[in-house]
């Protein structure tokens, strides 16, 4: 058997996605200028439409109304400060699959990177359209469970809860790479393994937004609703329902009845937004009506 035949028969190396270094994508971008425009556009959006948008409000330079979106079901999920590391793995989680891309998809790696950056940018841009209409917040525990909470509270004024970008990017990551694995000819064994790891990780990180009290159940449902439009034709209604139903399926600290109630609320709000949006031109309209009605209901209760 000659060397060419050996190369053809050689099986691709199987990687542990949870342990891949995040360094290769940074070096890849550094040495591929054709990715810079896409990356810088994304970074500009994050700075302008996430960080500056909040700090401008905190400093009193804008007057966008801030609405509390807490829900009684949020209290059914215990505060688990030990999950802060999972929550903060958010960026590394969506970077790690790019390491796999640099090793397995070299010919198309630049396009994959650029398309990915563009989609993440679109998530931030679309969410910011709503944030400019109304900002939202939830109650966070007083004090600092550890030093990481200090940095979290310092860098995040916590005014951009609905829709949750943490959840949106998790959905984007597992959906986008499912497409890439199909397009790049990954074997069925590889696809099952890598898709499974990404989906499990996405669910775990999405759950932490409640465990460390960074979001409300309302923020999760609205994020899934938004992704119907960012990933139109690729992330279906059933995909959203499946994502909801997978959340807290292994949560010993949450009572079964409470988990079912959370699940029902997430499905109900998601479906409500979706159905109301059928006759709307702009996907934002149902969400705008929802938050105004939510604020009015809270005012009446007081």
């Amino acid at each position: 058997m000659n060397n060419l035949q050996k190369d053809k028969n050689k099986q691709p190396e199987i990687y542990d996605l949870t342990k891949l270094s995040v360094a290769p994508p940074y070096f890849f971008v550094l040495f591929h200028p054709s990715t810079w425009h896409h990356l810088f556009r994304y970074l500009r959006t994050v700075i302008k439409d996430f960080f500056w948008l909040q700090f401008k409000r905190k400093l009193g330079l804008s007057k966008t109304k801030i609405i509390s979106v807490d829900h009684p079901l949020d209290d059914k999920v215990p505060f688990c400060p030990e999950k802060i590391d999972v929550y903060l793995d958010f960026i590394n989680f969506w970077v790690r699959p790019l390491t796999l891309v640099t090793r397995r998809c070299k010919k198309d790696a630049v396009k994959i990177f650029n398309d990915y950056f563009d989609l993440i940018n679109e998530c931030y841009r679309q969410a910011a359209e709503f944030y400019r209409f109304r900002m939202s917040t939830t109650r966070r525990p007083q004090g600092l469970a550890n030093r990481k909470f200090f940095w979290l509270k310092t860098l995040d004024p916590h005014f951009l809860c609905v829709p949750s970008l943490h959840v949106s990017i998790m959905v984007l990551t597992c959906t986008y790479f499912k497409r890439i694995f199909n397009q790049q000819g990954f074997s069925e064994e590889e696809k099952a393994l890598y898709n499974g790891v990404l989906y499990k990780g996405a669910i775990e990180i999405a759950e932490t937004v409640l465990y460390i009290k960074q979001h409300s159940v309302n923020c999760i449902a609205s994020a899934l609703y938004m992704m119907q439009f960012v990933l139109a034709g690729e992330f279906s209604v059933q995909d959203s329902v499946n994502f909801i139903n997978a959340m807290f399926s292994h949560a010993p600290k949450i009572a079964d009845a409470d988990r079912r109630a959370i699940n029902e609320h997430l499905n109900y709000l998601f479906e409500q937004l979706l159905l109301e949006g059928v006759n709307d031109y702009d996907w934002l309209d149902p969400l705008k009506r929802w938050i105004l009605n939510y604020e009015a209901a809270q005012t009446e209760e007081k």
Side-chain angles (χ1 to χ4, degrees):
M1 184 181 293
N2 58 38
N3 291 335
L4 181 60
Q5 287 175 316
K6 287 181 180 178
D7 289 340
K8 286 183 178 179
N9 294 332
K10 185 179 179 181
Q11 295 298 315
E13 183 176 352
I14 300 295
Y15 299 99
D16 184 347
L17 273 182
T18 65
K19 295 180 179 178
L20 284 179
S21 168
V22 296
Y26 293 96
F27 284 106
F28 183 90
V29 169
L30 184 64
F31 293 106
H32 290 80
S34 54
T35 65
W36 293 355
H37 170 71
H38 300 266
L39 175 62
F40 291 153
R41 180 169 57 185
Y42 154 65
L43 293 176
R44 181 185 62 189
T45 300
V46 172
I47 292 169
K48 173 175 170 285
D49 289 341
F50 186 80
F51 287 108
W52 177 237
L53 198 62
Q54 293 187 82
F55 279 101
K56 183 169 63 172
R57 180 62 180 84
K58 186 174 183 178
L59 294 170
L61 301 177
S62 73
K63 302 298 182 182
T64 306
K65 195 166 187 179
I66 303 171
I67 298 173
S68 171
V69 290
D70 290 299
H71 190 280
L73 286 172
D74 300 335
D75 295 330
K76 303 299 183 181
V77 180
F79 177 51
C80 297
E82 69 275 11
K83 291 186 179 288
I84 185 69
D85 289 328
V86 178
Y87 178 85
L88 293 177
D89 195 48
F90 164 72
I91 294 178
N92 287 340
F93 178 82
W94 65 256
V95 171
R96 284 190 200 100
L98 291 174
T99 299
L100 182 61
V101 166
T102 63
R103 297 179 182 181
R104 288 288 307 275
C105 316
K106 295 180 180 179
K107 185 178 70 171
D108 299 317
V110 168
K111 183 178 186 307
I112 292 170
F113 271 64
N114 289 344
D115 289 348
Y116 197 32
F117 291 147
D118 289 347
L119 281 170
I120 299 174
N121 178 73
E122 187 66 8
C123 286
Y124 277 85
R125 194 187 67 79
Q126 291 280 359
E129 291 295 313
F130 182 75
Y131 300 152
R132 291 191 181 91
F133 172 72
R134 287 292 187 278
M135 292 184 174
S136 50
T137 191
T138 61
R139 292 187 303 274
R140 294 198 283 192
Q142 296 295 315
L144 303 170
N146 58 50
R147 186 170 56 185
K148 292 172 183 176
F149 279 90
F150 168 79
W151 291 111
L152 179 62
K153 290 187 176 183
T154 300
L155 297 175
D156 180 11
H158 197 52
F159 295 154
L160 308 181
C161 288
V162 170
S164 166
L165 277 166
H166 238 72
V167 174
S168 300
I169 302 301
M170 292 304 96
V171 166
L172 171 62
T173 300
C174 54
T175 304
Y176 179 71
F177 284 101
K178 184 177 182 180
R179 179 210 306 175
I180 296 303
F181 300 150
N182 282 329
Q183 291 176 345
Q184 295 296 317
F186 281 61
S187 69
E188 292 303 315
E189 178 188 2
E190 290 176 303
K191 287 189 286 187
L193 174 63
Y194 294 143
N195 287 329
V197 169
L198 288 177
Y199 196 76
K200 180 176 180 290
I203 294 293
E204 288 178 350
I205 292 178
E207 289 172 348
T208 65
V209 304
L210 294 183
Y211 277 123
I212 69 165
K213 305 305 175 183
Q214 275 291 106
H215 283 283
S216 163
V217 289
N218 295 320
C219 312
I220 297 171
S222 56
L224 294 170
Y225 167 69
M226 183 182 83
M227 295 311 289
Q228 293 293 306
F229 300 89
V230 175
L231 293 171
E234 190 168 11
F235 185 67
S236 68
V237 171
Q238 188 59 53
D239 289 330
S240 290
V241 172
N242 291 342
F243 195 92
I244 289 170
N245 292 342
M247 292 187 70
F248 303 109
S249 57
H250 304 287
K253 294 184 179 181
I254 302 176
D256 288 343
D258 293 335
R259 191 191 76 80
R260 287 193 295 271
I262 292 169
N263 177 284
E264 289 171 4
H265 177 78
L266 290 173
N267 275 296
Y268 175 80
L269 178 54
F270 169 72
E271 291 172 9
Q272 175 190 338
L273 293 169
L274 200 64
L275 290 172
E276 287 188 12
V278 168
N279 295 317
D280 283 311
Y281 177 76
D282 192 336
W283 76 269
L284 290 165
D285 291 339
L287 197 54
K288 288 179 178 179
R289 288 194 296 269
W290 173 82
I291 202 165
L292 293 177
N293 291 335
Y294 202 76
E295 179 190 25
Q298 289 178 319
T299 302
E300 289 179 6
E301 289 177 3
K302 294 177 181 178

